[in-house]
Amino acid sequence: MKINSISSFEAKLEDIASDKSISHRLAIFSLLTQGTCKIKNYLKAQDTLHTLAIIQALGAEVSMDEEFVYIRAPQYIKSPNCILDCGNSGTAMRLLIGILSAIEGEFFILSGDEYLNARPMKRVSEPLKHIGAKIFGRDEANLAPIAIQGAKLEGFNFTSNITSAQVKSALILAALFAKKESYFKEIELSRNHSEIILNKMGACIEYLNQEKTSIKIQPLKTKLKAFEVCVPNDPSSAFYFALAACILPHSRVVLKNVLLNKTRIEAFKILKKMGAKITYYLDNDEFESIGEICVESAPLKAVSVNENIAWLIDEIPALAIAFACASGKSVIKNAKELRVKESDRIKSIVLNLQKCGINAKEFEDGFEVEGGEAKCAKIKSYGDHRIAMSFLILGLKCNMEVDDCECIKTSFPNFIEILKQIGAKVGD
């Protein structure tokens, strides 16, 4: 796909992709409820539609109209007569491993596309096997396809050496079915949507310290309450257009109805440190903090980032574009998790920036970028939606050609439409 540069833009964007993390979770958590759940603004992208198909295969009744997705959970989760296809979604696969491993006597097989089936699952399967889960797969249940024979699980006291909301959520879901209370601890706070949502549904998940890195999970005594929720817009998706406003002089964008959870807006804070003018306006905090973000262009300066990496892991490819347009040398460290995302994002970022004439150096746990004048290049996306979108945004400044942009539909189906809305010329 080719994109031509534009000089500047001003826009108010309301139709940003709704939040992927929350959409996946609401669909999966609905399996634990009694009654009909109503989800407004559910993300209708490839990955989240795969998740709806999976819960339907597990016995849920799923329907939708223009406004809502309706889900009525089955009385019991039963073995499906098909493989459960998670598409490209690590969130779906890891959370489903957690919940399905605890469904006694039932059998499940999870698989995905070629990229997902190369991503590590042992971080979830190994602690679950220690408490009685029966999980099988390639490389000792590290690689999908993953087969699960549901079993009664023990309570656990587990400390994770990976700061991962997916690991935490999988363990929480398993703990809801365990014989007794369980304890989970992580090095630093990861995204906390699962705890927030499940507690509002009636689960008992208690924070044990001020940092909220240690939790206690009580097993469910009854089914959870059905819910009606409106999914906010995804800050990870909104960030691409914040980036565009920052790198194009005299540009301004207002991003509406965006999730403002502190574990999800760290990348915006990094942009502000680099010199961007960013203002937040809170509209609603009944379910999660939701509001608008106003971003105005300003000259960017280099920055070093080595903290709260788990809060901005999805935005790092886009941040790398900001680094390439900033004055000075920027560094990302402590981000080894980038190696096991939809692509090896450290390698993907560095190789593509080098193609654009930007000095970039790869580290084992991050990279270094020296800001400069980016040139038009042919970019390889590696089937990774975030690499593809990040370099299309750079194309707004210097023209670009990016291969395999079909992957963008996994998370942001109308991304190209919004690019056109702000004045970009995009085509094959």
Side-chain angles (χ1 to χ4, degrees):
M1 178 172 288
K2 294 179 181 178
I3 183 167
N4 293 330
S5 61
I6 60 176
S7 57
S8 65
F9 75 98
E10 188 162 336
K12 185 177 289 188
L13 302 179
E14 300 188 36
D15 54 348
I16 304 156
S18 42
D19 195 83
K20 187 164 71 129
S21 295
I22 291 179
S23 294
H24 279 305
R25 282 165 171 76
L26 291 174
I28 292 170
F29 297 171
S30 71
L31 291 170
L32 307 176
T33 65
Q34 189 161 22
T36 299
C37 298
K38 295 172 66 177
I39 309 171
K40 187 176 181 179
N41 202 35
Y42 184 88
L43 176 62
K44 293 174 183 175
Q46 288 177 350
D47 278 354
T48 46
L49 291 175
H50 275 293
T51 299
L52 287 181
I54 286 171
I55 67 167
Q56 200 164 18
L58 294 172
E61 296 176 16
V62 179
S63 61
M64 64 180 77
D65 56 29
E66 287 186 8
E67 192 171 14
F68 286 97
V69 169
Y70 305 89
I71 304 171
R72 187 173 184 85
Q75 188 172 1
Y76 304 104
I77 296 173
K78 295 287 189 182
S79 303
N81 63 357
C82 60
I83 292 173
L84 303 173
D85 181 4
C86 299
N88 189 245
S89 177
T91 298
M93 182 170 283
R94 291 183 179 125
L95 269 61
L96 286 163
I97 289 172
I99 192 171
L100 298 179
S101 66
I103 308 301
E104 286 186 84
E106 303 297 331
F107 182 75
F108 313 92
I109 298 176
L110 296 167
S111 191
D113 66 16
E114 61 179 302
Y115 302 105
L116 180 57
N117 285 2
R119 294 177 65 183
M121 296 297 143
K122 191 177 284 187
R123 56 185 56 190
V124 169
S125 64
E126 194 167 275
L128 288 172
K129 287 198 282 186
H130 282 307
I131 60 171
K134 298 174 182 177
I135 304 172
F136 312 92
R138 296 179 297 133
D139 188 24
E140 299 179 339
N142 187 40
L143 300 175
I146 295 287
I148 301 166
Q149 179 69 59
K152 187 64 177 175
L153 305 182
E154 303 292 335
F156 59 81
N157 190 339
F158 178 69
T159 299
S160 176
N161 59 6
I162 301 169
T163 303
S164 166
Q166 295 175 6
V167 172
K168 176 170 62 176
S169 299
L171 271 290
I172 287 173
L173 289 168
L176 293 176
F177 294 90
K179 293 178 183 178
K180 62 178 185 178
E181 71 273 4
S182 297
Y183 298 84
F184 179 89
K185 188 174 182 180
E186 56 189 346
I187 302 165
E188 59 184 28
L189 179 65
S190 61
R191 294 180 183 181
N192 57 355
H193 305 310
S194 293
E195 304 98 289
I196 292 170
I197 296 169
L198 286 167
N199 274 336
K200 287 182 185 281
M201 292 169 63
C204 185
I205 303 169
E206 178 185 355
Y207 290 115
L208 301 179
N209 61 356
Q210 190 174 358
E211 297 77 20
K212 299 185 177 181
T213 56
S214 183
I215 58 176
K216 177 181 178 181
I217 310 114
Q218 296 285 0
L220 293 181
K221 294 179 180 177
T222 61
K223 290 195 172 187
L224 297 177
K225 295 178 291 189
F227 52 80
E228 181 174 337
V229 172
C230 180
V231 181
N233 289 336
D234 194 324
S236 302
S237 297
F239 189 73
Y240 295 105
F241 295 96
L243 170 66
C246 285
I247 66 174
L248 295 173
H250 314 297
S251 293
R252 182 177 184 272
V253 67
V254 177
L255 306 161
K256 305 283 287 182
N257 191 38
V258 178
L259 179 67
L260 299 180
N261 181 306
K262 74 172 186 177
T263 67
R264 298 294 303 282
I265 58 170
E266 186 72 8
F268 288 90
K269 293 181 179 179
I270 300 299
L271 268 187
K272 191 166 186 176
K273 283 182 184 177
M274 295 178 73
K277 298 175 185 176
I278 299 180
T279 312
Y280 307 91
Y281 300 94
L282 180 65
D283 294 333
N284 185 335
D285 61 357
E286 185 179 337
F287 162 62
E288 282 259 23
S289 298
I290 301 168
E292 67 180 44
I293 306 175
C294 179
V295 184
E296 296 182 61
S297 62
L300 299 180
K301 59 182 184 293
V303 69
S304 292
V305 182
N306 57 22
E307 295 178 336
N308 294 333
I309 298 298
W311 294 4
L312 50 77
I313 199 76
D314 286 339
E315 294 86 357
I316 287 176
L319 271 176
I321 303 304
F323 296 168
C325 299
S327 60
K329 193 177 289 184
S330 298
V331 179
I332 288 273
K333 299 285 283 184
N334 299 325
K336 195 173 181 179
E337 184 70 9
L338 288 169
R339 297 274 185 196
V340 292
K341 301 299 281 184
E342 283 83 339
S343 68
D344 178 341
R345 285 184 177 158
I346 293 175
K347 191 173 292 296
S348 303
I349 289 165
V350 169
L351 289 176
N352 281 320
L353 285 177
Q354 289 172 345
K355 287 181 181 178
C356 298
I358 298 295
N359 290 328
K361 186 193 301 183
E362 179 179 336
F363 306 130
E364 182 59 27
D365 66 342
F367 53 87
E368 175 184 281
V369 178
E370 187 173 354
E373 195 68 37
K375 299 180 298 188
C376 177
K378 290 186 177 181
I379 298 301
K380 188 172 177 60
S381 73
Y382 301 93
D384 188 329
H385 56 130
R386 300 203 186 276
I387 298 295
M389 288 187 281
S390 297
F391 280 88
L392 284 171
I393 294 297
L394 182 56
L396 292 173
K397 194 171 178 68
C398 60
N399 301 337
M400 204 64 66
E401 183 176 347
V402 182
D403 79 347
D404 192 12
C405 287
E406 189 68 18
C407 59
I408 292 171
K409 293 179 181 177
T410 63
S411 66
F412 201 160
N414 62 329
F415 176 76
I416 302 301
E417 291 172 29
I418 298 179
L419 280 177
K420 292 176 180 177
Q421 186 180 328
I422 66 170
K425 292 182 180 178
V426 187
D428 297 329

